[in-house]
Amino acid sequence: MLTNEPSIFRFDEFTFDCGSRQLLRGGEEQRLSPKAQQLLRMLILKRPKAVSREEIYDVLWPSTFVSETNMAGIVSELRHALGDDARSGQYIRTVHGFGYAFAGEVQTVASNAVPMAALRCEGQRHLLYEGENSVGRSPNCRVVLAEATVSRLHAVVIVSGDSIIVEDRGSTNGTYVNGQKISRFRVRDKDAIRFGVVPVTISRGLSSTAPLPTYVPDPRRHSSGRTAPV
């Protein structure tokens, strides 16, 4: 049995926390059965090596005979939660005649890391941790905002103690706090923040009574993704 391994893993817009048994996609929980959670954990910990079907059977169904369809069902459930499929194998790669391997690029987080704040947008809650939290259109950002006016790396949210700072990273369409374009700004819970034309709120802790910001497409936006001056 593997011991002392990291318990939180991030890949693209996903966070998998072994301790809480949660798979989050952009802050929203993706429900997985206990066996699908076990399989994901095993594949991530063994990456980039492939895991044989026999080893998977031994961990998921110890001392129990099950049919091949049981494993196929768990793999299908996991792929569905990840938005993956057997042909592309972006995350779960089939090794024909052997087993499966995890194909995504994973970042590990210390097991004692806990969310310190939350960014809320479009009905979703994105968890923020101590240090820099990247915001942008790139799937490698911690907070992914898939909107044309958001740059691939648009900004970072820096959480340090009781301080939360939003810092623009040379974005095309700018970062705004309370209507003013900023390069670096210490924000408060009630501040209205905008990345490009996407409004968000940021609050200390993980609960907030602030209304969720709603994104309405800006008619001034050109096809290039730029906006008219504000």
Side-chain angles (χ1 to χ4, degrees):
M1 182 176 179
L2 294 167
T3 58
N4 298 323
E5 74 272 3
S7 65
I8 301 176
F9 306 93
R10 295 201 186 98
F11 48 98
D12 294 338
E13 59 187 314
F14 293 97
T15 299
F16 179 54
D17 187 334
C18 297
S20 65
R21 297 179 177 269
Q22 281 186 312
L23 174 66
L24 303 177
R25 183 175 191 172
E28 290 295 308
E29 182 175 3
Q30 308 297 301
R31 296 197 177 278
L32 286 177
S33 67
K35 293 200 182 298
Q37 295 169 12
Q38 283 183 285
L39 178 59
L40 178 57
R41 175 179 175 274
M42 185 189 316
L43 294 178
I44 290 178
L45 289 174
K46 292 282 189 177
R47 71 188 191 285
K49 294 181 179 180
V51 183
S52 70
R53 285 184 173 85
E54 290 73 18
E55 185 175 354
I56 294 173
Y57 279 124
D58 287 343
V59 173
L60 269 59
W61 296 280
S63 304
T64 304
F65 176 79
V66 295
S67 69
E68 185 71 24
T69 57
N70 289 75
M71 183 182 298
I74 297 300
V75 172
S76 178
E77 176 192 349
L78 182 54
R79 281 178 167 151
H80 178 74
L82 297 174
D84 203 1
D85 62 68
R87 291 184 179 181
S88 68
Q90 181 180 359
Y91 299 115
I92 309 301
R93 178 171 61 88
T94 300
V95 182
H96 295 287
F98 184 77
Y100 300 92
F102 192 85
E105 184 175 338
V106 179
Q107 294 180 330
T108 60
V109 181
S111 59
N112 61 351
V114 295
M116 301 297 293
L119 182 151
R120 306 173 82 208
C121 174
E122 295 248 85
Q124 292 190 344
R125 184 183 67 170
H126 303 269
L127 303 180
L128 304 176
Y129 295 80
E130 186 81 13
E132 289 191 358
N133 299 265
S134 54
V135 179
R137 202 174 67 250
S138 169
N140 292 322
C141 289
R142 177 162 296 163
V143 178
V144 178
L145 301 177
E147 212 286 332
T149 64
V150 176
S151 298
R152 286 186 62 80
L153 174 56
H154 195 101
V156 294
V157 179
I158 305 167
V159 180
S160 179
D162 293 330
S163 172
I164 300 179
I165 295 172
V166 173
E167 181 179 290
D168 188 85
R169 286 295 171 92
S171 65
T172 300
N173 293 300
T175 299
Y176 297 80
V177 177
N178 300 326
Q180 300 297 315
K181 189 173 184 179
I182 61 97
S183 58
R184 183 180 173 92
F185 194 90
R186 180 171 179 173
V187 298
R188 298 164 297 181
D189 285 4
K190 294 183 180 180
D191 285 335
I193 303 162
R194 180 159 52 88
F195 300 111
V197 300
V198 180
V200 308
T201 60
I202 298 175
S203 60
R204 290 286 304 180
L206 304 183
S207 62
S208 173
T209 58
L212 285 171
T214 302
Y215 164 61
V216 179
D218 192 328
R220 295 171 296 175
R221 191 179 72 210
H222 302 293
S223 59
S224 65
R226 297 175 180 269
T227 60
V230 177

